[in-house]
Amino acid sequence: MMTSNFILKEKLTAYQRWEMNSLDAPDPTLKDQPAIPENNTQPNQANSLPTEEDIAAIFQQAKTAGYAAGYQEGSTAGYTEGRKAAEVEVKAEIARLQTLLSNLDQDLHQIDQQVADDLLDLAIALAKKMVIQALKLKPELIVPIVQEAIRNLPNAMQHPRLYLHPDDAEIVRLHLNDQLAPDGWSIREDTQLSRGGCRIEANGSEIDASPEVRWQRILSAIGHNDSWLEKDE
């Protein structure tokens, strides 16, 4: 008798019942893929819009960035303009100082020249006073003056004439008469002559050794012009 191979369903308690897989079962290789929404509806747009706080933060950030950029640009522009203005001002100040220094140099030069001229005038005035006082204190100084004038004459002379102030003529006769007489000198008085000078005439020529002429020769040698003191001085 053939044994039946069928087992009752109630006796399958210790075994898992095998069932045929569904043909629509998902592919195991795709288990890591994100699940596709069951419907094709778009996500809620309200969830993607920025909130009021987000807008305020964005505005504040833009404001801060704009202020920083504007401050930097303004600082750069202000520094450039300030530097240019400072350079112009410094150049103007340098030019003003150079003008002042140039004027000061000219003023100092003029002062130096004026001081030198004043000192020279003082020296000339003192020299005049000394000559006048020397002739008054020592009238014999007329003697070397006459001797110097005679030495400037040529050797061959005919009828030489010596003109002197009357007071000086007396002194010259006293000291030089013995030397002049042998050579035919004639001593003559001239009230128009100043004391301390003489005039010589011989052979149609004349030598003026008056104080005025001698003084002008001295001043011409140093490049200066001045007149002799008045006779009453």
Side-chain angles (χ1 to χ4, degrees), residues 145-206:
I145 294 174
V146 171
Q147 290 175 332
E148 178 66 23
I150 293 175
R151 279 195 295 267
N152 291 327
L153 290 172
N155 294 327
M157 295 182 299
Q158 294 180 356
H159 309 293
R161 296 174 298 277
L162 175 62
Y163 294 88
L164 297 161
H165 185 277
D167 294 335
D168 289 338
E170 184 177 352
I171 296 174
V172 170
R173 289 190 185 100
L174 180 62
H175 291 82
L176 297 178
N177 190 56
D178 295 340
Q179 299 178 18
L180 298 177
D183 294 329
W185 280 89
S186 173
I187 300 176
R188 302 182 181 185
E189 298 179 359
D190 186 353
T191 57
Q192 299 298 319
L193 286 174
S194 301
R195 295 207 63 179
C198 65
R199 187 177 76 255
I200 298 176
E201 294 178 357
N203 298 338
S205 62
E206 179 180 288

Side-chain angles (χ1 to χ4, degrees), residues 17-37:
R17 186 177 56 182
W18 178 86
E19 292 182 358
M20 181 176 156
N21 292 330
S22 171
L23 296 177
D24 295 331
D27 189 349
T29 61
L30 301 178
K31 64 180 180 178
D32 295 331
Q33 297 292 332
I36 299 176

Side-chain angles (χ1 to χ4, degrees), residues 31-211:
K31 64 180 180 178
D32 295 331
Q33 297 292 332
I36 299 176
E38 294 182 358
N39 51 30
N40 294 328
T41 60
Q42 296 293 330
N44 189 356
Q45 294 181 357
N47 294 331
S48 61
L49 292 176
T51 63
E52 185 176 351
E53 289 77 6
D54 295 337
I55 294 175
I58 293 172
F59 176 78
Q60 184 62 34
Q61 182 179 3
K63 181 180 179 181
T64 303
Y67 175 81
Y71 177 81
Q72 180 64 29
E73 183 178 356
S75 298
T76 302
Y79 174 78
T80 302
E81 293 297 327
R83 184 181 63 182
K84 290 181 179 178
E87 289 176 353
V88 171
E89 187 173 348
V90 168
K91 289 180 180 179
E93 187 66 19
I94 291 175
R96 188 178 71 85
L97 290 176
Q98 289 176 341
T99 301
L100 289 176
L101 291 175
S102 177
N103 294 336
L104 178 60
D105 183 65
Q106 294 177 1
D107 292 340
L108 290 176
H109 179 72
Q110 292 177 357
I111 291 174
D112 290 342
Q113 186 63 43
Q114 185 62 43
V115 170
D117 292 341
D118 291 344
L119 289 176
L120 180 59
D121 291 340
L122 178 61
I124 291 173
L126 291 175
K128 287 180 179 180
K129 293 291 185 181
M130 291 175 64
V131 170
I132 295 296
Q133 292 300 320
L135 289 173
K136 289 181 179 180
L137 295 175
K138 194 174 183 179
E140 296 81 6
L141 290 174
I142 187 60
V143 175
I145 294 174
V146 171
Q147 290 175 332
E148 178 66 23
I150 293 175
R151 279 195 295 267
N152 291 327
L153 290 172
N155 294 327
M157 295 182 299
Q158 294 180 356
H159 309 293
R161 296 174 298 277
L162 175 62
Y163 294 88
L164 297 161
H165 185 277
D167 294 335
D168 289 338
E170 184 177 352
I171 296 174
V172 170
R173 289 190 185 100
L174 180 62
H175 291 82
L176 297 178
N177 190 56
D178 295 340
Q179 299 178 18
L180 298 177
D183 294 329
W185 280 89
S186 173
I187 300 176
R188 302 182 181 185
E189 298 179 359
D190 186 353
T191 57
Q192 299 298 319
L193 286 174
S194 301
R195 295 207 63 179
C198 65
R199 187 177 76 255
I200 298 176
E201 294 178 357
N203 298 338
S205 62
E206 179 180 288
I207 293 179
D208 191 349
S210 63

